[in-house]
Amino acid sequence: MNEAKIRATLKSKGLSYTRPRKEILHLLMTRHGPFSVDDILKSIPDGTCDQATVYRCISQFLEKSLIKEVRLGEDFSRYEFNNPDHHHHHVICKSCQKIDSIDNCFIAPFLNQIKNLGYTEIEHALEFFAICPKCQKA
Amino acid sequence: MNEAKIRATLKSKGLSYTRPRKEILHLLMTRHGPFSVDDILKSIPDGTCDQATVYRCISQFLEKSLIKEVRLGEDFSRYEFNNPDHHHHHVICKSCQKIDSIDNCFIAPFLNQIKNLGYTEIEHALEFFAICPKCQKA
DNA sequence: TTATTTATGCAAATGACTTGCAAAAATTGG
DNA sequence: CCAATTTTTGCAAGTCATTTGCATAAATAA
Ligand SMILES: [Mn+2]
Ligand SMILES: [Mn+2]
Ligand SMILES: [Zn+2]
Ligand SMILES: [Zn+2]
């Protein structure tokens, strides 16, 4: 992921190119999330970014739909890059907290039902909680 | 919902019958949720129950699986009575926050996929966010 | 470059939720 | 029922993720 790509992504959303935005978006565009604010802070060199700035960048990225919020039953939020071509869900291990992706979404039957109730602009949040193979042996 | 039923429910989980537990469980067993801690506090006469007590009762009810936690993208949790014969999900209106129930669950195809990955004890959280018919007109 | 707008860092505030502790209520064993 | 013991409650203070005010720094416009 080069600087030009990140710069272009920010520009396409009308956001100026600043060091914190570059660092945060770089993490989210190059590594597999979802990441907590703490993950993000620790990933930035020299700790040279304030947590207030991270929260403010996240809000802006969410408003612009650059990222999605993911809640996994923890007492904090996680965030991941929003790739419209890669709608997916997550399983988190109830024992070791390892997160896996579920790439197929079989939500259509629900959508039909909800559309029939007259709802529009339907979005969904779906997460799974289970015991992973490694934790079953231990 | 009579006192005897509530008393029996608490007893079946090894919980003693106290005024706060009675009041909170009564609300959860008789009215359609999910309820926030604030909803619960306001529903109790005379405001005669401390929020710390409500949180402690909720923790115990969750441990005993008497209730389920529901997260609807708000900055607080909601809770509803756990009726194993009535597994269901919710739609919350993104505009007026009205909550509707979705009584059919079509989650099986996901479960197959997750089982194939070696996971066991699989649980799921699924919520929908949409615009309700009333808000579409307004 | 200089002026103007926008973003950042720091510290303090917010708000949901938790915890310590003494008093009140519930349970236990006569 | 009572007196002793255990559990629960109310209140106040604490915790922790997230937000906000404000002065400075960085980015953009002229
Ligand atoms: Mn993901
Ligand atoms: Mn419900
Ligand atoms: Zn989906
Ligand atoms: Zn379901």
Side-chain angles (χ1 to χ4, degrees), chain B residues 80-132:
Chain B
E80 64 181 5
F81 190 71
N82 179 23
N83 181 344
D85 299 331
H86 185 219
H87 172 79
H88 65 284
H89 297 280
H90 302 96
V91 202
I92 183 170
C93 175
K94 290 183 270 191
S95 174
C96 71
Q97 280 71 52
K98 184 175 65 74
I99 299 168
D100 231 340
S101 293
I102 302 299
D103 288 337
N104 293 17
C105 184
F106 310 98
I107 213 77
F110 283 104
L111 295 185
N112 291 333
Q113 187 155 332
I114 295 167
K115 276 179 203 154
N116 285 341
L117 293 172
Y119 285 91
T120 56
E121 303 178 35
I122 307 167
E123 301 177 280
H124 63 279
L126 171 59
E127 311 300 340
F128 296 90
F129 309 91
I131 303 292
C132 76

Coordinates of all heavy atoms in Angstrom, one line a residue, chain B residues 80-132:
Chain B
E80 N -33.7 -8.8 27.7 CA -35.1 -9.3 27.6 C -35.1 -10.8 28.2 O -34.1 -11.4 28.3 CB -35.5 -9.3 26.2 CG -34.8 -10.2 25.3 CD -35.3 -10.2 23.8 OE1 -36.2 -9.3 23.5 OE2 -34.8 -10.9 23.0
F81 N -36.3 -11.2 28.6 CA -36.5 -12.5 29.2 C -36.1 -13.5 28.2 O -36.3 -13.4 27.0 CB -37.9 -12.7 29.6 CG -38.1 -13.9 30.4 CD1 -37.6 -14.0 31.7 CD2 -38.8 -15.0 29.9 CE1 -37.8 -15.1 32.5 CE2 -38.9 -16.2 30.7 CZ -38.4 -16.2 32.0
N82 N -35.4 -14.6 28.6 CA -34.9 -15.6 27.8 C -35.9 -16.8 27.7 O -35.9 -17.7 28.5 CB -33.5 -16.1 28.3 CG -33.0 -17.2 27.4 OD1 -33.4 -17.4 26.2 ND2 -32.1 -18.0 28.0
N83 N -36.7 -16.7 26.7 CA -37.6 -17.8 26.5 C -37.1 -18.7 25.4 O -37.0 -18.4 24.2 CB -39.0 -17.3 26.0 CG -40.0 -18.4 25.8 OD1 -39.7 -19.6 25.7 ND2 -41.3 -18.0 25.8
P84 N -36.6 -19.9 25.8 CA -35.9 -20.8 24.8 C -36.8 -21.2 23.7 O -36.3 -21.6 22.6 CB -35.5 -22.0 25.7 CG -35.6 -21.6 27.1 CD -36.6 -20.5 27.1
D85 N -38.1 -21.1 23.9 CA -39.0 -21.5 22.8 C -39.3 -20.3 21.8 O -40.1 -20.4 20.9 CB -40.4 -21.9 23.4 CG -40.2 -23.2 24.2 OD1 -39.3 -24.0 24.0 OD2 -41.0 -23.3 25.2
H86 N -38.7 -19.2 22.1 CA -38.9 -18.0 21.3 C -37.6 -17.3 20.9 O -37.4 -16.1 21.2 CB -39.9 -17.1 22.0 CG -40.3 -15.9 21.2 ND1 -40.4 -14.6 21.7 CD2 -40.6 -15.8 19.8 CE1 -40.8 -13.8 20.7 NE2 -40.9 -14.5 19.6
H87 N -36.8 -18.1 20.3 CA -35.5 -17.5 19.7 C -35.9 -16.5 18.6 O -36.7 -16.8 17.8 CB -34.6 -18.6 19.1 CG -33.5 -18.1 18.4 ND1 -32.3 -17.6 19.0 CD2 -33.2 -17.9 17.1 CE1 -31.5 -17.2 18.1 NE2 -32.0 -17.4 16.9
H88 N -35.4 -15.3 18.7 CA -35.8 -14.3 17.7 C -34.8 -13.2 17.6 O -33.9 -13.1 18.4 CB -37.2 -13.7 18.1 CG -37.2 -12.9 19.3 ND1 -37.2 -13.5 20.6 CD2 -37.2 -11.6 19.6 CE1 -37.1 -12.6 21.5 NE2 -37.2 -11.4 20.9
H89 N -35.0 -12.3 16.6 CA -34.1 -11.2 16.5 C -34.9 -9.9 16.4 O -36.1 -9.9 16.6 CB -33.3 -11.4 15.2 CG -32.4 -12.6 15.3 ND1 -31.2 -12.6 16.0 CD2 -32.6 -13.9 14.9 CE1 -30.7 -13.8 16.0 NE2 -31.5 -14.7 15.3
H90 N -34.2 -8.7 16.2 CA -34.8 -7.4 16.2 C -34.5 -6.6 15.1 O -33.4 -6.7 14.5 CB -34.5 -6.7 17.5 CG -34.8 -7.5 18.8 ND1 -33.9 -8.3 19.4 CD2 -36.0 -7.6 19.4 CE1 -34.5 -8.9 20.4 NE2 -35.7 -8.5 20.5
V91 N -35.4 -5.7 14.7 CA -35.1 -4.6 13.8 C -35.3 -3.3 14.6 O -36.3 -3.2 15.2 CB -36.1 -4.5 12.6 CG1 -35.5 -3.7 11.4 CG2 -36.6 -5.8 12.2
I92 N -34.3 -2.4 14.5 CA -34.5 -1.1 15.2 C -34.5 -0.1 14.1 O -33.7 -0.1 13.2 CB -33.4 -0.9 16.2 CG1 -33.7 0.5 17.0 CG2 -32.0 -0.9 15.6 CD1 -32.8 0.7 18.2
C93 N -35.5 0.9 14.2 CA -35.6 1.9 13.2 C -34.5 2.9 13.4 O -34.3 3.4 14.5 CB -36.9 2.6 13.2 SG -37.0 4.0 12.1
K94 N -33.7 3.2 12.3 CA -32.6 4.1 12.4 C -33.0 5.5 12.6 O -32.2 6.4 13.0 CB -31.8 4.0 11.1 CG -31.0 2.7 10.9 CD -30.2 2.7 9.6 CE -30.9 2.2 8.4 NZ -30.1 2.0 7.2
S95 N -34.3 5.8 12.5 CA -34.8 7.2 12.6 C -35.5 7.4 14.0 O -35.2 8.3 14.7 CB -35.7 7.5 11.5 OG -36.3 8.8 11.7
C96 N -36.5 6.5 14.3 CA -37.2 6.7 15.6 C -36.9 5.7 16.7 O -37.5 5.7 17.7 CB -38.7 6.6 15.3 SG -39.4 5.0 14.9
Q97 N -36.0 4.7 16.4 CA -35.6 3.7 17.3 C -36.6 2.7 17.8 O -36.5 2.0 18.8 CB -35.0 4.4 18.6 CG -33.5 4.9 18.4 CD -33.5 6.1 17.5 OE1 -34.2 7.1 17.7 NE2 -32.7 6.0 16.5
K98 N -37.8 2.7 17.1 CA -38.8 1.7 17.4 C -38.2 0.3 17.1 O -37.5 0.1 16.2 CB -40.0 1.9 16.5 CG -41.2 1.0 16.9 CD -42.4 1.3 16.1 CE -42.3 1.1 14.6 NZ -42.3 -0.3 14.1
I99 N -38.5 -0.6 18.0 CA -37.9 -2.0 17.9 C -39.0 -3.0 17.6 O -40.1 -3.0 18.2 CB -37.3 -2.4 19.2 CG1 -36.1 -1.5 19.6 CG2 -36.8 -3.8 19.2 CD1 -35.6 -1.6 21.0
D100 N -38.8 -3.8 16.5 CA -39.7 -4.8 16.1 C -39.0 -6.2 16.2 O -37.8 -6.3 16.2 CB -40.0 -4.6 14.6 CG -41.5 -4.6 14.3 OD1 -42.3 -5.1 15.1 OD2 -41.9 -4.0 13.2
S101 N -39.8 -7.2 16.4 CA -39.3 -8.6 16.5 C -39.3 -9.3 15.1 O -40.2 -9.1 14.3 CB -40.1 -9.4 17.5 OG -39.9 -8.9 18.8
I102 N -38.3 -10.1 14.9 CA -38.3 -11.0 13.7 C -38.3 -12.4 14.3 O -37.3 -12.8 14.9 CB -37.0 -10.8 12.9 CG1 -36.9 -9.3 12.4 CG2 -36.9 -11.7 11.7 CD1 -38.0 -8.8 11.6
D103 N -39.4 -13.1 14.1 CA -39.5 -14.4 14.9 C -38.9 -15.6 14.2 O -38.7 -16.6 14.8 CB -41.0 -14.6 15.2 CG -41.5 -13.6 16.2 OD1 -40.6 -13.1 17.0 OD2 -42.7 -13.4 16.3
N104 N -38.6 -15.5 12.9 CA -38.0 -16.7 12.2 C -36.5 -16.5 12.1 O -36.1 -15.4 11.8 CB -38.6 -16.9 10.9 CG -40.1 -17.2 10.9 OD1 -40.7 -17.1 12.0 ND2 -40.6 -17.8 9.8
C105 N -35.8 -17.6 12.4 CA -34.3 -17.5 12.3 C -33.8 -18.4 11.2 O -34.0 -19.6 11.3 CB -33.7 -17.8 13.6 SG -31.9 -17.6 13.6
F106 N -33.2 -17.8 10.2 CA -32.7 -18.6 9.1 C -31.2 -18.7 9.1 O -30.5 -18.4 8.1 CB -33.2 -17.9 7.8 CG -34.6 -17.6 7.7 CD1 -35.1 -16.3 8.0 CD2 -35.6 -18.6 7.4 CE1 -36.5 -16.0 7.9 CE2 -36.9 -18.3 7.3 CZ -37.4 -17.0 7.6
I107 N -30.6 -19.0 10.2 CA -29.2 -19.0 10.4 C -28.5 -20.3 10.0 O -27.2 -20.3 10.0 CB -28.9 -18.6 11.9 CG1 -27.7 -17.7 12.0 CG2 -28.8 -19.8 12.8 CD1 -27.9 -16.3 11.5
A108 N -29.2 -21.3 9.7 CA -28.6 -22.6 9.5 C -27.5 -22.7 8.5 O -26.5 -23.3 8.8 CB -29.7 -23.6 9.1
P109 N -27.6 -22.1 7.4 CA -26.4 -22.2 6.4 C -25.1 -21.6 7.0 O -24.1 -22.2 6.7 CB -26.9 -21.3 5.2 CG -28.4 -21.2 5.4 CD -28.7 -21.3 6.8
F110 N -25.2 -20.6 7.8 CA -24.0 -20.1 8.5 C -23.5 -21.2 9.4 O -22.3 -21.4 9.5 CB -24.3 -18.9 9.3 CG -24.5 -17.6 8.5 CD1 -25.8 -17.1 8.3 CD2 -23.4 -16.9 8.0 CE1 -26.0 -15.9 7.6 CE2 -23.6 -15.7 7.4 CZ -24.9 -15.2 7.1
L111 N -24.4 -21.8 10.2 CA -23.9 -22.8 11.2 C -23.2 -23.9 10.5 O -22.1 -24.4 11.0 CB -25.1 -23.3 11.9 CG -25.8 -22.3 12.8 CD1 -26.9 -22.9 13.6 CD2 -24.8 -21.6 13.7
N112 N -23.7 -24.4 9.4 CA -23.0 -25.5 8.7 C -21.5 -25.1 8.3 O -20.6 -25.8 8.6 CB -23.7 -25.8 7.4 CG -25.0 -26.5 7.7 OD1 -25.2 -27.1 8.7 ND2 -26.0 -26.3 6.7
Q113 N -21.4 -23.9 7.8 CA -20.1 -23.4 7.4 C -19.2 -23.3 8.6 O -18.0 -23.7 8.6 CB -20.3 -22.0 6.8 CG -19.0 -21.5 6.2 CD -19.3 -20.5 5.0 OE1 -20.4 -20.6 4.4 NE2 -18.4 -19.5 4.8
I114 N -19.7 -22.8 9.7 CA -18.8 -22.6 10.9 C -18.5 -23.9 11.6 O -17.4 -24.1 12.0 CB -19.6 -21.6 11.9 CG1 -19.7 -20.2 11.2 CG2 -18.8 -21.5 13.2 CD1 -20.6 -19.3 11.9
K115 N -19.4 -24.8 11.5 CA -19.1 -26.2 12.1 C -18.0 -26.8 11.2 O -17.1 -27.5 11.8 CB -20.4 -27.1 12.0 CG -21.3 -26.9 13.1 CD -22.6 -27.9 12.9 CE -23.8 -27.4 13.7 NZ -25.0 -27.8 13.1
N116 N -18.1 -26.6 9.9 CA -17.0 -27.2 9.0 C -15.6 -26.6 9.3 O -14.6 -27.2 9.0 CB -17.4 -26.9 7.6 CG -18.5 -27.8 7.1 OD1 -18.8 -28.8 7.7 ND2 -19.1 -27.4 6.0
L117 N -15.6 -25.4 9.9 CA -14.3 -24.9 10.3 C -13.8 -25.4 11.6 O -12.8 -25.1 12.1 CB -14.4 -23.3 10.4 CG -14.7 -22.6 9.1 CD1 -15.0 -21.1 9.4 CD2 -13.5 -22.7 8.2
G118 N -14.6 -26.3 12.3 CA -14.2 -27.0 13.5 C -14.7 -26.3 14.8 O -14.3 -26.7 15.9
Y119 N -15.5 -25.3 14.6 CA -16.0 -24.6 15.8 C -17.2 -25.4 16.5 O -17.9 -26.1 15.8 CB -16.6 -23.2 15.4 CG -15.5 -22.2 15.2 CD1 -15.0 -22.0 13.9 CD2 -14.9 -21.4 16.2 CE1 -14.0 -21.1 13.6 CE2 -13.9 -20.5 16.0 CZ -13.5 -20.3 14.7 OH -12.5 -19.4 14.5
T120 N -17.3 -25.2 17.8 CA -18.4 -25.9 18.5 C -19.0 -24.8 19.4 O -18.5 -23.7 19.6 CB -17.9 -27.0 19.4 OG1 -16.9 -26.6 20.3 CG2 -17.3 -28.2 18.6
E121 N -20.1 -25.2 20.1 CA -20.9 -24.3 21.0 C -21.1 -22.9 20.3 O -20.9 -21.9 20.9 CB -20.1 -24.1 22.3 CG -19.8 -25.4 23.0 CD -19.0 -25.2 24.3 OE1 -19.2 -24.1 25.0 OE2 -18.1 -26.0 24.6
I122 N -21.6 -23.0 19.1 CA -21.8 -21.7 18.3 C -23.1 -21.0 18.7 O -24.2 -21.5 18.7 CB -21.9 -22.1 16.8 CG1 -20.7 -23.0 16.4 CG2 -22.0 -20.8 16.0 CD1 -20.9 -23.6 15.0
E123 N -22.9 -19.7 19.1 CA -24.0 -18.8 19.4 C -23.9 -17.6 18.3 O -22.9 -17.4 17.7 CB -23.8 -18.2 20.8 CG -23.8 -19.3 21.8 CD -23.6 -18.7 23.2 OE1 -22.5 -18.4 23.6 OE2 -24.6 -18.5 23.9
H124 N -25.0 -16.9 18.2 CA -25.0 -15.8 17.3 C -25.7 -14.6 17.8 O -26.6 -14.7 18.6 CB -25.6 -16.2 15.9 CG -27.0 -16.6 15.9 ND1 -27.4 -17.8 16.3 CD2 -28.1 -15.9 15.6 CE1 -28.7 -17.9 16.2 NE2 -29.2 -16.7 15.8
A125 N -25.3 -13.4 17.3 CA -26.0 -12.1 17.6 C -26.3 -11.5 16.3 O -25.4 -11.3 15.5 CB -25.1 -11.2 18.4
L126 N -27.6 -11.3 16.0 CA -28.0 -10.7 14.7 C -29.1 -9.6 15.0 O -30.1 -9.9 15.6 CB -28.7 -11.9 13.9 CG -29.3 -11.5 12.6 CD1 -28.4 -10.7 11.6 CD2 -29.9 -12.7 11.9
E127 N -28.8 -8.4 14.5 CA -29.7 -7.3 14.6 C -29.8 -6.6 13.3 O -28.9 -6.6 12.5 CB -29.3 -6.4 15.7 CG -28.9 -7.0 17.0 CD -30.0 -7.8 17.7 OE1 -31.2 -7.5 17.4 OE2 -29.7 -8.7 18.5
F128 N -31.0 -6.0 13.0 CA -31.2 -5.3 11.8 C -31.5 -3.8 12.1 O -32.1 -3.5 13.1 CB -32.4 -5.9 11.0 CG -32.1 -7.3 10.6 CD1 -32.5 -8.4 11.4 CD2 -31.5 -7.5 9.3 CE1 -32.2 -9.7 11.0 CE2 -31.2 -8.8 8.9 CZ -31.6 -9.9 9.7
F129 N -31.0 -3.0 11.2 CA -31.2 -1.5 11.3 C -31.8 -1.0 10.0 O -31.3 -1.3 8.9 CB -29.8 -0.9 11.5 CG -29.0 -1.5 12.6 CD1 -28.1 -2.6 12.4 CD2 -29.2 -1.1 13.9 CE1 -27.5 -3.2 13.4 CE2 -28.5 -1.7 15.0 CZ -27.6 -2.8 14.7
A130 N -33.0 -0.4 10.1 CA -33.7 0.0 8.9 C -34.6 1.2 9.2 O -34.6 1.7 10.3 CB -34.5 -1.2 8.4
I131 N -35.3 1.6 8.1 CA -36.2 2.8 8.3 C -37.6 2.2 8.3 O -38.0 1.5 7.4 CB -36.1 3.8 7.1 CG1 -34.7 4.3 7.0 CG2 -37.1 4.9 7.3 CD1 -34.2 5.2 8.2
C132 N -38.4 2.5 9.4 CA -39.7 1.9 9.5 C -40.7 2.6 8.6 O -40.5 3.7 8.2 CB -40.2 1.9 11.0 SG -40.7 3.6 11.5

